[in-house]
Amino acid sequence: DEALAASDRALARAYGPRKIRVLTQRASILEARDDKAGARRALSNAIAYAGTLGSLKDAISNGARAAATAGMPLASRPRSSP
């Protein structure tokens, strides 16, 4: 409840790579609540948004797409380096 509300507030303010981070954190929150469909939706939104970011889109969307399609739990997904 509180975490999703904070996520909503952050999404309203975030842009660029930070917005993707907020969406992936939202997916983690939803996954922890056993809302797999919601988590997948948040990851799909992250992938779609990454597609609008120019040069970052390939690295971010490829990593998120691979993690989403592999069905890996969010906590065990490798983090990309900056």
Side-chain angles (χ1 to χ4, degrees), residues 3 8 10 13-14 18 20 23 26 30 32 35 39 56 62 64 66 68 71 76:
D8 288 337
R13 294 179 177 96
R18 286 169 191 86
I20 294 168
L23 287 166
R26 184 176 186 86
L30 292 167
D35 181 357
L56 292 176
N62 288 342
S76 66

Side-chain angles (χ1 to χ4, degrees), residues 11 20-21 36 40 47 80:
L11 278 174
I20 294 168
R21 181 65 181 148
K36 306 255 186 249
R40 190 169 295 274
I47 292 167
S80 58

Side-chain angles (χ1 to χ4, degrees), residues 4-81:
L4 286 176
S7 176
D8 288 337
R9 290 191 303 273
L11 278 174
R13 294 179 177 96
Y15 59 93
R18 286 169 191 86
K19 186 169 186 170
I20 294 168
R21 181 65 181 148
V22 172
L23 287 166
T24 58
Q25 286 176 331
R26 184 176 186 86
S28 294
I29 294 164
L30 292 167
E31 185 180 45
R33 294 173 175 220
D34 204 30
D35 181 357
K36 306 255 186 249
R40 190 169 295 274
R41 221 175 11 260
L43 288 175
S44 293
N45 290 341
I47 292 167
Y49 182 73
T52 69
L53 293 182
S55 65
L56 292 176
K57 75 177 181 181
D58 291 333
I60 295 169
S61 67
N62 288 342
R65 185 179 298 114
T69 57
M72 294 173 64
L74 292 172
S76 66
R77 292 183 188 152
R79 294 191 182 241
S80 58
S81 52

